[in-house]
Amino acid sequence: MATLQILTIAFLMIIVVLSVVIGSRAQQKEKELTERRFKQLQLTNRADRAEYHLRGLKDINTDTIVTDVLYDYYLDTLRELLQYSDDPEKVEVRIAKAEEDRNALPVEFNPEPEALSFQQKANYKERLTKTAKMLLYLRRRGRISNSHYKLCYDYLRWLNLWVQLNRQMVQANKNFNGGDLRVAQTLYGVILSHIKSDSIERPEKKALQDYVMDKMKRIMQPKLDAIKDAENPEEVLSKLIQNIEANNDVANMINKQLDADNQ
């Protein structure tokens, strides 16, 4: 009888121990699964955010300086996601597409842009702001150096300026091509003023400045030729200066309106 009791107690103890072991393993597996799900969600969100920034820059991107940084981060995130994803084939498709898109050439800078709507301009400005925050995050994580971050940030500043000048560029080119050279000269003057007042050093900015200066020269050339051929060049020059001053007054008014619109 005593032996039976001892065996029963031993059996019950074995069951208790097995229950504890099985329960601990189940709890550990549940913890590992939870951690895996959390890591998967975290990496997916990071990848989606990087992809969002890349899509946002696509139509106005004339340099790969920022997108190279974003693609490095995006691809590294996707490759890490492979280890946690329940659908690795889907992640591999995203990696292949990202590598293909990265090899595509950026758009060529065009000083004769299409007109952007107010909503498009607002969207671009929002995207550029968010991309700048993303770059700051990557710099703080040590993904890029301070000097590289500065170059990327300057490029985003340039894109912001270019979006800001869209309406003036479209209107100036339209008036120039339509023969309304006085208005075109005024608008080109506004654009030139904004270019010169900004400290950004970018090839696109230099190309825009050269383009605007060429248009201004073409507008002014007939007037300069008229001065040379005039019987009274001093009088013609005086009228030309008055016209330029009048245009400058108009340019200042447009500048103030532009500043107000951008606040």
Side-chain angles (χ1 to χ4, degrees):
M1 188 68 177
T3 302
L4 182 61
Q5 289 179 341
I6 293 172
L7 289 174
T8 302
I9 293 171
F11 179 71
L12 292 174
M13 289 181 64
I14 291 172
I15 291 177
V16 170
V17 170
L18 287 175
S19 298
V20 171
V21 171
I22 293 172
S24 297
R25 288 183 177 178
Q27 187 177 15
Q28 181 63 29
K29 285 185 178 180
E30 182 66 26
K31 180 181 178 182
E32 290 175 356
L33 181 61
T34 301
E35 290 176 349
R36 179 185 177 86
R37 295 295 186 195
F38 176 77
K39 188 67 174 180
Q40 179 184 356
L41 180 61
Q42 185 183 50
L43 291 171
T44 300
N45 288 338
R46 288 179 184 175
D48 290 347
R49 188 164 64 249
E51 185 181 23
Y52 166 82
H53 293 311
L54 287 164
R55 287 200 312 267
L57 290 177
K58 185 177 180 180
D59 293 336
I60 57 174
N61 189 44
T62 56
D63 193 325
T64 61
I65 187 170
V66 169
T67 52
D68 278 344
V69 173
L70 295 177
Y71 272 118
D72 283 343
Y73 178 70
Y74 181 42
L75 287 167
D76 287 348
T77 303
L78 289 176
R79 292 183 182 114
E80 188 178 357
L81 180 59
L82 274 175
Q83 306 171 38
Y84 300 92
S85 177
D86 297 327
D87 190 357
E89 291 184 1
K90 183 177 179 181
V91 179
E92 288 174 350
V93 169
R94 290 184 72 176
I95 291 174
K97 186 177 187 309
E99 290 175 339
E100 180 182 353
D101 291 344
R102 182 174 192 169
N103 293 327
L105 295 174
V107 297
E108 185 177 350
F109 174 68
N110 180 16
E112 299 181 1
E114 297 292 330
L116 298 176
S117 68
F118 176 82
Q119 188 58 51
Q120 285 176 310
K121 290 178 68 173
N123 289 342
Y124 276 127
K125 286 178 176 293
E126 181 182 5
R127 292 170 191 169
L128 292 171
T129 299
K130 290 183 176 179
T131 303
K133 291 180 179 179
M134 181 74 169
L135 288 173
L136 182 60
Y137 165 76
L138 295 177
R139 181 181 69 81
R140 288 174 175 171
R141 289 194 61 189
R143 300 274 313 189
I144 54 175
S145 65
N146 288 336
S147 58
H148 196 175
Y149 168 77
K150 177 64 168 58
L151 293 173
C152 290
Y153 185 71
D154 282 349
Y155 175 61
L156 293 182
R157 285 179 56 209
W158 152 252
L159 289 180
N160 187 69
L161 176 63
W162 180 229
V163 169
Q164 175 184 323
L165 292 175
N166 174 266
R167 182 177 59 182
Q168 284 68 36
M169 281 301 303
V170 170
Q171 195 61 39
N173 289 333
K174 180 179 179 181
N175 282 283
F176 180 87
N177 295 329
D180 194 344
L181 301 185
R182 186 175 183 276
V183 175
Q185 179 183 341
T186 300
L187 289 168
Y188 284 133
V190 171
I191 295 164
L192 200 59
S193 174
H194 275 270
I195 294 173
K196 290 183 175 180
S197 66
D198 200 297
S199 61
I200 305 169
E201 294 294 337
R202 288 289 311 174
E204 300 93 338
K205 179 184 173 184
K206 178 65 167 57
L208 178 60
Q209 183 171 333
D210 291 344
Y211 175 87
V212 172
M213 289 299 295
D214 179 68
K215 292 292 188 183
M216 295 283 276
K217 288 177 181 178
R218 291 170 64 180
I219 292 172
M220 295 298 295
Q221 193 59 52
K223 299 175 182 178
L224 295 175
D225 291 340
I227 293 174
K228 294 178 183 178
D229 299 336
E231 294 182 1
N232 190 346
E234 289 81 7
E235 181 180 349
V236 177
L237 179 60
S238 177
K239 290 182 179 179
L240 177 60
I241 292 173
Q242 291 176 5
N243 288 335
I244 292 175
E245 290 176 344
N247 281 343
N248 285 339
D249 291 338
V250 175
N252 289 332
M253 291 175 62
I254 295 177
N255 260 326
K256 291 179 180 178
Q257 182 62 49
L258 180 62
D259 292 336
D261 291 342
N262 289 321
Q263 288 179 352

